[in-house]
Amino acid sequence: MKELVVISGKGGTGKTSLVASFAALAEKVVLADCDVDAADLHLVLDPKIVRRENFSGGKRARINSDLCTACGKCEEICRFDAISFDGPGNGNADKTYCIDPIACEGCGVCAWFCADKAIEFGPVVNGEWFISDTRRGPMVHAKLGVAEANSGKLVSLVRAEAKKIAEDRKLDLVFIDGSPGIGCPVIASIGGADLVLVVTEPTLSGMHDMGRVADLTRHFGIETVLCINKWDVNEDITLQIEARAIGRGLKLAGRIRYDRAVTEAQIKKLSVVEYVPNGVTNDIRDIWGNVRAALDEAGE
Amino acid sequence: MRIAIASGKGGTGKTTVATNLAYVGSRNGRSVVYVDCDVEEPNGHIFLKPDLDGATPVGTLVPKVDESKCIHCGDCGDICQYSAIVSVGDAVLVFGELCHGCGGCSLVCPSGAISEVLHEIGEVHVGSTGPLAFAHGLLRVGQAMSPPVIKAVKAAAPAADLAIIDAPPGTSCPVIESVRDCDFLLLVTEPTPFGLNDLKLAVAMAREMKLPFGVVINRADLGDRETHLYCGNNDIEILTEIPDDRKIAESYSRGELAGEVLPGYRRMFETLLGRIDLRAG
Amino acid sequence: MKIAITATGANLEASVDPRFGRCACFLVVETDDLSFEAVENPNVALGGGAGIQSAQLVASKGVTHVLTGNCGPNAHQTLSAAGIVIVVGCSGVVRDAIEQYKAGQFAATGEPNVASHFGIGRRGGR
């Protein structure tokens, strides 16, 4: 079983459209949407949810205002500016302390040191994750709660469930739709994977971000290939990006032309290769052929 | 006044809007600072081309154990929620990359064996470009936690009457840290199913955080009308629409500011800034 | 000699779990008579630090050796600090792996043999 992760550094370069198209071209595949704070793959693949679970990624503190004596110790020791003197009064104090759940880092230090045992500290639900059936195979996806943290942990969980399904059902491939950036969720989605495909665009921003994401995959020692979406928006920069990528030890998987039909396919809830007969679809087929070959080589 | 630019979905044009607003504001005689809070993939400097001062390192505080004072009580490992410090056998081990810098271990240690040292995770740069002040940060490649770097960029940014805060994509902790104390949140989207789905997440975030907000629709004639309908049905104000103009895409690809090089766009961003002033002022 | 071995189930006929930090179960085995205690691993789904927490757990059981498939850097460092000898590369049925170890077929490792996050998402071999 092989795991392919599609990431980009810069957002909006076409990761999800490409993953959906690969799902239509490949067989025996499990899909994992690891962009858990802005998941979009479900909009194309129309999943039927067969299992739904809560996700708890950490703990959080909460002050019981009845027990708070307003001593101020918690505010003094909190490193995350999560505690303020805005809680309701009780019989002993006119005002009490309270915790901003969005700012709380879940370290539990306030609860440990509260002399009045007024701070409850326990697990919270930060989101939900799903196992679904789609026309292209099983899919694992998730929804992080509004303004919640712990996206990296949810990514790890989605990946783990997708691999379990691949093993149980004897499927050969896991495709992971990653998130933008190079931080926590991206690191959680690439660690130990067989191959990373970086999708970029021919802009100076795309070139800059490709460099950072290539450094990241090298840092973690993961084989990486690159493709350029909308390459014809600026051919000079396309050539520059390809030269830089080769210089960094990346292999080139191909180019995708600019075509408004990519957006039309999205509106029709279809992947590009399901909607467009040729042109941009041929570009994606070529890239899939190269990625498939790189996957076969990876780890052998 | 602090205006934050966010989006949910990546690549919708946050940086285009943020850099152009900062540019037109500063060219009209206002004191403006542009603050790039996308410390994972900062791009504002490509368009604004600032002169930058040297790097200031950013770190989190991680524990350092004086083994000669340690009595192996294990309290440090018990209070730590992140497995960043453990007492095992005759040793205390620290795993800096897991540490969130809460300071609990040094507070709880009864023998004063734990002090804290800076663990570098990135750097911050400040500078200027003409009349516009500038700040951005870089998360070190391989580091997972960007919020401390974002916090440091915001703290290091030169004071100004108007701060334009360019947030990273998404709706989780790095975005929250970027937008949490702004006076107005501008959500940039595009009229596609992906753009709309992620706009709804960003709107939910703005409402949860009780931030006043408005929407900019970029590439407004690209997809369908669903985004316009959604905004209309939910009393969300569309502050401006930017057309799907190949000239903008090309100037963006070369790292140029539309408000500087393309006729008509300076006016568009001035009008947008004026509308935000009215709502946030 | 008391050892811990990572297992996919709570008996000696289960397979060796190749992951250390996120194995399903630790079997704490007295090698002389193969008497054992099964300890379900509470760290399977832990977000981060599973190797470290699991290392602490087996150290608290007073074992001198750990037998597993793979061991990452954080778990390796923690086990070493506890004075525990780490033996990687074990596979197959737990009972057989213990016999093979007693027959001297595996050597202890002085180095972690996989990178961080190896066990995330992995179950059984590939």
Side-chain angles (χ1 to χ4, degrees):
Chain A
M1 191 252 294
K2 295 282 173 75
E3 223 182 351
L4 168 71
V5 193
V6 181
I7 54 174
S8 65
K10 178 167 164 35
T13 60
K15 288 181 292 297
T16 303
S17 294
L18 202 54
V19 169
S21 286
F22 283 1
L25 294 170
E27 282 172 10
K28 298 176 74 172
V29 59
V30 181
L31 298 153
D33 193 342
C34 285
D35 189 359
V36 295
D37 68 321
D40 288 334
L41 193 56
H42 65 281
L43 298 173
V44 180
L45 293 174
D46 191 24
K48 302 285 174 288
I49 295 174
V50 294
R51 186 173 156 207
R52 168 190 286 259
E53 302 278 348
N54 281 337
F55 163 70
S56 175
K59 296 178 178 175
R60 201 173 281 157
R62 202 184 67 82
I63 295 176
N64 182 339
S65 57
D66 291 340
L67 301 178
C68 177
T69 57
C71 72
K73 178 79 178 170
C74 53
E75 184 186 34
E76 177 198 318
I77 59 182
C78 176
R79 292 267 175 95
F80 306 102
D81 302 329
I83 299 181
S84 58
F85 196 36
D86 290 323
N90 57 28
N92 303 314
D94 293 341
K95 267 200 315 184
T96 55
Y97 285 87
C98 66
I99 296 176
D100 173 1
I102 293 175
C104 177
E105 185 80 4
C107 69
V109 171
C110 57
W112 183 290
F113 285 99
C114 177
D116 305 298
K117 306 227 175 318
I119 304 183
E120 296 156 16
F121 183 59
V124 284
V125 172
N126 311 102
E128 272 188 299
W129 60 276
F130 318 94
I131 295 177
S132 296
D133 287 329
T134 77
R135 65 184 183 280
R136 294 298 169 192
M139 167 167 156
V140 186
H141 47 130
K143 193 171 181 186
L144 198 64
V146 171
E148 287 287 356
N150 293 309
S151 57
K153 292 182 184 182
L154 186 52
V155 167
S156 298
L157 193 151
V158 167
R159 255 184 96 184
E161 291 296 329
K163 288 176 101 169
K164 257 191 218 173
I165 292 172
E167 277 163 10
D168 292 348
R169 303 192 198 174
K170 307 267 179 291
L171 302 171
D172 304 328
L173 292 167
V174 176
F175 290 166
I176 296 170
D177 191 3
S179 49
I182 60 165
C184 161
V186 178
I187 289 172
S189 62
I190 66 171
D194 297 284
L195 186 72
V196 165
L197 171 64
V198 173
V199 187
T200 191
E201 59 176 35
T203 64
L204 292 182
S205 302
M207 180 153 72
H208 173 268
D209 296 355
M210 178 281 290
R212 302 250 301 160
V213 89
D215 288 345
L216 184 76
T217 60
R218 188 169 51 195
H219 181 92
F220 287 101
I222 303 163
E223 183 77 22
T224 306
V225 297
L226 174 100
C227 72
I228 300 184
N229 194 9
K230 305 180 191 169
W231 70 270
D232 43 350
V233 167
N234 190 325
E235 188 172 4
D236 287 346
I237 296 180
T238 291
L239 291 167
Q240 284 178 48
I241 292 176
E242 288 175 344
R244 282 194 186 199
I246 291 167
R248 287 170 183 268
L250 272 57
K251 287 187 191 132
L252 302 182
R255 298 173 174 182
I256 303 167
R257 69 195 73 179
Y258 176 76
D259 190 339
R260 288 182 80 129
V262 171
T263 303
E264 290 164 23
Q266 200 189 100
I267 291 166
K268 298 267 193 278
K269 298 187 191 311
L270 291 171
S271 68
V272 176
V273 301
E274 290 168 316
Y275 177 73
V276 189
N278 43 39
V280 65
T281 285
N282 294 340
D283 297 346
I284 294 174
R285 278 181 197 281
D286 289 348
I287 291 171
W288 167 239
N290 292 330
V291 168
R292 175 78 251 195
L295 270 172
D296 288 341
E297 269 175 40
E300 296 298 320
Chain B
M1 181 170 71
R2 304 172 75 85
I3 303 171
I5 325 291
S7 72
K9 177 166 159 47
T12 56
K14 282 180 299 300
T15 297
T16 299
V17 172
T19 51
N20 278 291
L21 286 179
Y23 172 80
V24 299
S26 68
R27 290 318 186 266
N28 289 340
R30 294 173 73 167
S31 136
V32 186
V33 60
Y34 168 86
V35 187
D36 195 342
C37 287
D38 188 352
V39 302
E40 296 177 42
E41 297 287 16
N43 290 150
H45 65 285
I46 295 172
F47 300 90
L48 294 169
K49 303 172 183 70
D51 295 318
L52 295 176
D53 299 342
T56 307
V58 179
T60 52
L61 290 171
V62 302
K64 184 167 182 283
V65 181
D66 180 345
E67 300 259 358
S68 68
K69 290 186 188 165
C70 176
I71 57 170
H72 300 288
C73 65
D75 281 358
C76 52
D78 289 343
I79 196 172
C80 181
Q81 293 295 314
Y82 313 108
S83 306
I85 186 166
V86 291
S87 170
V88 54
D90 295 335
V92 181
L93 302 176
V94 173
F95 298 94
E97 75 280 7
L98 298 176
C99 179
H100 287 224
C102 71
C105 53
S106 67
L107 277 173
V108 79
C109 179
S111 61
I114 303 179
S115 55
E116 291 180 274
V117 293
L118 204 67
H119 169 70
E120 263 186 59
I121 60 166
E123 59 191 51
V124 166
H125 299 260
V126 295
S128 62
T129 171
L132 175 64
F134 180 98
H136 78 180
L138 280 171
L139 179 71
R140 186 173 288 177
V141 170
Q143 292 291 334
M145 277 181 267
S146 58
V149 184
I150 294 169
K151 199 175 267 190
V153 175
K154 291 171 78 173
D161 296 341
L162 173 64
I164 302 285
I165 297 172
D166 197 352
T171 55
S172 68
C173 18
V175 184
I176 307 291
E177 186 61 51
S178 305
V179 308
R180 66 188 272 196
D181 48 6
C182 72
D183 300 301
F184 191 83
L185 180 62
L186 196 59
L187 300 175
V188 184
T189 187
E190 58 181 31
T192 63
F194 293 180
L196 176 57
N197 182 66
D198 299 351
L199 173 65
K200 289 176 183 170
L201 299 172
V203 165
M205 176 191 78
R207 293 200 161 137
E208 177 82 19
M209 298 179 77
K210 301 183 172 63
L211 296 172
F213 68 96
V215 166
V216 169
I217 302 184
N218 191 12
R219 305 181 197 110
D221 42 342
L222 173 71
D224 54 22
R225 298 295 294 173
E226 295 298 317
T227 303
H228 297 81
L229 279 173
Y230 164 77
C231 291
N233 290 337
N234 290 278
D235 293 323
I236 296 167
E237 187 172 20
I238 299 169
L239 291 166
T240 204
E241 300 189 30
I242 304 172
D244 184 30
D245 180 349
R246 188 162 176 121
K247 286 205 295 292
I248 293 196
E250 286 172 4
S251 74
Y252 175 88
S253 79
R254 292 188 295 264
E256 296 166 353
L257 281 171
E260 185 177 28
V261 301
L262 298 177
Y265 284 104
R266 177 167 178 161
R267 188 65 187 273
M268 172 188 279
F269 288 110
E270 282 171 348
T271 307
L272 174 60
L273 188 55
R275 289 188 181 143
I276 297 168
D277 277 333
L278 283 177
R279 270 108 196 134
Chain C
M1 186 171 71
K2 201 171 173 186
I3 65 161
I5 182 162
T6 56
T8 57
N11 60 70
L12 297 177
E13 312 317 318
S15 299
V16 176
D17 196 319
R19 306 161 307 175
F20 174 74
R22 293 174 198 277
C23 69
C25 186
F26 293 102
L27 299 183
V28 179
V29 184
E30 184 53 62
T31 53
D32 296 342
D33 58 4
L34 293 188
S35 63
F36 69 93
E37 176 196 358
V39 183
E40 197 177 319
N41 184 1
N43 306 312
V44 176
L46 199 68
I52 299 163
Q53 292 295 331
S54 294
Q56 273 202 302
L57 176 67
V58 300
S60 73
K61 297 291 174 186
V63 305
T64 56
H65 293 65
V66 161
L67 272 58
T68 186
N70 298 288
C71 183
N74 290 354
H76 195 280
Q77 201 186 338
T78 310
L79 289 168
S80 301
I84 294 171
V85 178
I86 302 140
V87 180
V88 298
C90 301
S91 62
V93 175
V94 167
R95 183 187 297 275
D96 299 345
I98 295 170
E99 291 303 332
Q100 285 164 11
Y101 175 67
K102 283 162 72 178
Q105 291 186 24
F106 302 116
T109 175
E111 295 283 326
N113 70 328
V114 288
S116 297
H117 302 108
F118 169 82
I120 289 179
R122 221 162 268 255
R123 208 185 66 166
R126 11 176 88 185

